[in-house]
Amino acid sequence: MILYYLQKLLFQLNRDPATRKQYESDFDGLLMEYDLTHEEKEALGKPDIGLLYVLGVNGQLLMHYAALKGYAWPDYIQSMKDGVAQHGPVRAGIYTMVED
Amino acid sequence: MALVFAGVCSHAPGITGRTHLAKPEDKDSFHAAYDGMRVSLEETRPDALIVIGAEHFANFFMNNMPTFAIGMGDSYEGPIEDEAWLGIKKHKVPGNRDLSTRLIQRVMQDVDVSYAEEWKFDHGIMVPLNFLTPRYDLDIIPININCQGPPLSPLARSYALGQALRRACDETPERIALVGTGGISHWPATPNSGKINEDFDREFLGIWAANKKSELLAYTDEDIYRRAGQGGFEIRTFIAVAGATAGATADIRYYRPIPPFAVGCTIGVVNLQQAGMRTAA
Ligand SMILES: [Fe+2]
C-alpha cells in the first residue's frame, strides 16, 4: 500500500490547474505518473469515495475530490460510512494512529 | 512597536460554506462574535495581522513538510477551494515582504522556520480573514504549523514559536496583531464530522485562557486524538498564541458547539495590557 502517492495525486489535483486539466483530458496518463496500486486506481476512477477513505486518504484531501465529483456534503459523509460498512475499518494513515 | 492585539478563532469551512445547515441563531450569534473580534482588532490600529494557521494540504505536503512556515510574499491568494463550496470569493490578499523578512530573521534566532514566498490560502486562513479583514486591506503574514501530517512537532515547540514571535514583534516598529486559528475537538471531513467533545473544549479553553503553560504542554497527541480527534492537533495554533502572550490571561468571548460547522465555535481575545505587556501608544 503506497498511500503517499494516492494522497499526492489528490493534493496536486486540488491545487494545480494543470493537473486538473490532465485529470479531465487524460485520466489514465495522469495515473501513470503516480505509483498506485490497482485498487487505488479503481477507487479513483469509479470513484469509490468510501474505499478511498478506507485506504487511508485524509478527509482534508478527500472532501475536495468528492466535491469535484459532484457529491453534496451529506452524500460525502454517507459514502465514507458506507465504505467502512463495505470494506472494513480504515487500513492506513492518520485515522489509524490510535488503536481502539 | 509591539504586539497590539492577540486572539484565537475557529476556521472550519462550514462557518461560511454551510451556513444554511446551522440554526440561524447559532450562525448569527457566532458571526456576530467574529464581528466583535474585528471591531476589537481594528481599535488597536494594527499595521499588519499575523495569522497562525494549520493549513490542510493546500501548500505543504509530506514530500517536504515544514514544521513551521512563515509567509514572505508581497501578496497571497485565496481561497484555494471552490468559491461556492466555501462561500468566499477569490481575492488577492496583501502581504508585506519587508516586515515578513525582518520577523523571520528574528524568529530564526530562537526557532528554525521555513519561509514561503508563494502561498495559496485555504479555509484555514480565509475564513478568519473573511470576518476580520473583510475588505482585504490589511497586510497579512501567514504562519503555518503542521497539524496535519505526523510526525507533528511537540507542543512545547509551538509555545516556543509563539515566544520567538513575540520577541520579534516587540523589536519591530510596526503595530502587530496576532490571531491563532484552529479547531479544538473536531473530526473534520470524516464520518464523525459534527462530533464535538465539549468537555475537552471547555477544559482546554480554560487552561488556554489562564495561560497555564505546563498544563497546555502536558497533552500528548495520543490523548488529543482519543478525546479531540485529528482536528484537535490544531490546538498548536492556540498554544503558539499563548507563547506569544505569556503572563496574560484571555477572555473566551464565544464558545458554542455548532455541529453543522463541525467544530466548537470559538472566539478568544487576550488581555494584552496585563503583566507588563507593552501598551500601545
Ligand atoms: Fe483546520
Side-chain angles (χ1 to χ4, degrees), chain A residues 60, chain B residues 11-12 54 56 123-124 148 182-183 186 188 234:
Chain A
Q60 300 286 1
Chain B
H11 67 232
H56 320 77
H123 64 270
Q148 306 296 343
H186 64 313
E234 295 181 351

Side-chain angles (χ1 to χ4, degrees), chain A residues 41-79:
Chain A
K41 286 181 192 167
E42 281 215 332
L44 282 169
K46 262 183 168 176
D48 187 338
I49 298 296
L51 180 55
L52 289 170
Y53 174 69
V54 168
L55 291 173
V57 174
N58 191 303
Q60 300 286 1
L61 293 160
L62 187 57
M63 67 176 169
H64 300 301
Y65 191 56
L68 177 72
K69 302 307 283 186
Y71 284 66
W73 184 255
D75 301 333
Y76 163 63
I77 300 295
Q78 189 57 45
S79 67

